[in-house]
Amino acid sequence: MKTRLQGAAVEVDRIRSRLLAWYARTARDLPWRRSKNPYRVWVSEIMLQQTQVDRVKEYFARFLAAFPDVESLAAAREDSVLRLWEGLGYYRRARQLHAAARALVAEHGGRFPRTAEGLRALPGIGRYTANAIASIAFDAAEPIVEANSRRVLARLAGYGRPLDGPAGDEPAGDLPDRLVARRLVPRTAPGRFNQALMDLGAIVCTPARPRCSACPLAGCCAALRARRVDAIPAKAVPRTVKKIRETAVVLRHGDRVLVERRGPGAWWEGLWDFPCAVGGARGQPQGKKLGVVRYTVTQHAVARTVRVRRVVRRGAATVARRWVTVAGLADLAMTAPGRRIARLLKKPAAIC
Ligand code: SF4
């Protein structure tokens, strides 16, 4: 008769072999999977955080064409990096990617540390990204725990609580030991195993209506056995959204408009936008109304009224303020609402 430990080891083996066999048949052909180059793995993993795969494909191709290796990224100006990132959101990722490239060149001769611990010492590389690079590029047996793999693990274990901890955390506490990601990841081809687990979550074990009948792990799944698939992971309490109204006044002088760079700690830090204030710009002439741009950022739903006003004199340019032609706005890395205002400025209604 098998002991509990032997039984757990058999189940670990079964999960690994079924998952890897499934992956061998179904792996998605994604551009960053065609080599184990750590630079490509790193860029793709940073882009994939909070962003859909199809969208990342397009940005990844453009980014790699402009910065094919860590040296070219380190030598680039931050503005150029942000411009290529524009539209992907979460710009802190781009700034940290750039800072880490510079650190890699300055401190490591352009070579990546081969361990998760060494990688985590670089700017913007947390546990998830470090483990992804270490396991995929360097075959280190490190687990990758992100939204998809976390959901699969929670369902396999029949884990009943919400998965609302920080990204990279496993379902904590009462998870059976055999289903802890660090235990599951094999020493042979750990990167392949990690990618298989993430793919399973993305394609089969989806948040809504998972395709359990096509799942290679159906025989090991506690949620399926207990008929609790729809209840796991448990829903987190929804966060409240705060509504904000703000006003942007586009100042025109001749064919130029004033833009300002977002300062440290602001949303979209380092990107360009038009002068803007919460509420209305009280006590000042506001100019002609161009429209309302609506956007959401973190837990805020913002309605930004856009006005345009001609000025007779323009103030001096600084590192954080520039007078730019409307056509020249295309070359700046802009915030999402700023870019939408730039489009409004091309319409005849924007002439004042
Ligand atoms: S059987 Fe269903 S719930 Fe369980 S891991 Fe597979 S797809 Fe997910």
Side-chain angles (χ1 to χ4, degrees):
M1 209 168 87
K2 282 192 203 112
T3 64
R4 277 182 61 173
L5 269 179
Q6 284 168 329
V10 168
E11 185 157 356
V12 166
D13 281 347
R14 190 185 307 149
I15 290 173
R16 287 174 181 166
S17 60
R18 288 184 183 180
L19 190 60
L20 286 168
W22 171 81
Y23 189 64
R25 295 192 306 275
T26 59
R28 292 178 290 177
D29 176 30
L30 300 172
W32 46 89
R33 286 187 178 170
R34 292 174 197 151
S35 89
K36 290 171 80 171
N37 179 317
Y39 177 71
R40 293 172 69 91
V41 173
W42 175 44
V43 172
S44 67
E45 289 298 340
I46 297 287
M47 286 186 171
L48 284 163
Q49 291 166 20
Q50 319 279 351
T51 312
Q52 299 291 320
V53 167
D54 282 342
R55 196 160 167 71
V56 168
K57 279 187 194 167
E58 177 196 323
Y59 277 85
F60 181 78
R62 263 190 288 156
F63 199 88
L64 267 286
F67 310 121
D69 48 38
V70 72
E71 286 80 7
S72 52
L73 179 57
R77 288 178 44 227
E78 187 182 275
D79 257 0
S80 323
V81 179
L82 291 174
R83 181 70 186 92
L84 271 179
W85 204 269
E86 195 185 304
L88 259 187
Y90 300 95
Y91 294 89
R92 192 155 177 261
R93 295 181 296 175
R95 281 193 299 276
Q96 291 192 320
L97 198 68
H98 188 225
R102 292 193 160 173
L104 276 167
V105 169
E107 295 159 26
H108 300 270
R111 295 168 74 88
F112 281 77
R114 298 177 70 88
T115 63
E117 196 189 352
L119 288 159
R120 282 184 74 171
L122 293 164
I125 299 194
R127 181 168 43 169
Y128 163 79
T129 311
N131 288 8
I133 301 170
S135 65
I136 298 169
F138 301 123
D139 285 327
E142 301 285 357
I144 304 180
V145 184
E146 45 70 88
N148 288 318
S149 56
R150 206 152 75 136
R151 182 171 57 256
V152 176
L153 293 174
R155 284 177 173 159
L156 288 177
Y159 182 80
R161 299 211 299 264
L163 298 177
D164 54 359
D169 276 6
E170 298 186 32
D174 43 8
L175 204 64
D177 194 39
R178 68 186 184 287
L179 291 172
V180 171
R182 179 164 292 286
R183 174 112 191 257
L184 274 179
V185 67
R187 293 193 178 281
T188 309
R192 219 174 145 66
F193 176 86
N194 282 332
Q195 285 171 313
L197 196 60
M198 291 189 288
D199 267 19
L200 189 76
I203 299 167
V204 177
C205 192
T206 46
R209 290 196 294 274
R211 296 189 298 120
C212 301
S213 57
C215 178
L217 304 184
C220 321
C221 180
L224 185 63
R225 266 198 309 277
R227 298 175 188 266
R228 298 197 62 233
V229 168
D230 291 338
I232 296 175
K235 302 267 178 298
V237 180
R239 290 184 284 189
T240 48
V241 173
K242 189 173 173 192
K243 291 185 178 173
I244 296 181
R245 283 180 45 240
E246 60 183 21
T247 304
V249 181
V250 180
L251 300 180
R252 286 195 96 124
H253 182 267
D255 63 345
R256 291 179 180 259
V257 291
L258 179 67
V259 284
E260 293 178 342
R261 191 171 205 164
R262 291 293 179 108
W267 290 335
W268 292 292
E269 179 187 337
L271 271 70
W272 294 89
D273 202 341
F274 299 91
C276 195
V278 174
R282 285 200 196 101
Q284 292 179 18
Q286 297 205 351
K288 177 176 164 187
K289 184 173 173 182
L290 260 191
V292 178
V293 168
R294 294 177 199 281
Y295 63 96
T296 53
V297 58
T298 60
Q299 272 81 59
H300 300 84
V302 186
R304 181 189 286 192
T305 302
V306 184
R307 296 181 176 275
V308 57
R309 179 157 64 87
R310 192 162 284 283
V311 292
V312 286
R313 234 177 293 143
R314 69 183 199 217
T318 66
V319 281
R321 287 165 74 90
R322 283 189 200 166
W323 289 88
V324 184
T325 62
V326 172
L329 293 170
D331 297 327
L332 291 183
M334 297 196 76
T335 68
R339 178 62 67 207
R340 285 165 61 194
I341 295 174
R343 283 190 214 112
L344 287 179
L345 292 176
K346 291 182 183 160
K347 298 192 171 174
I351 309 294
C352 64

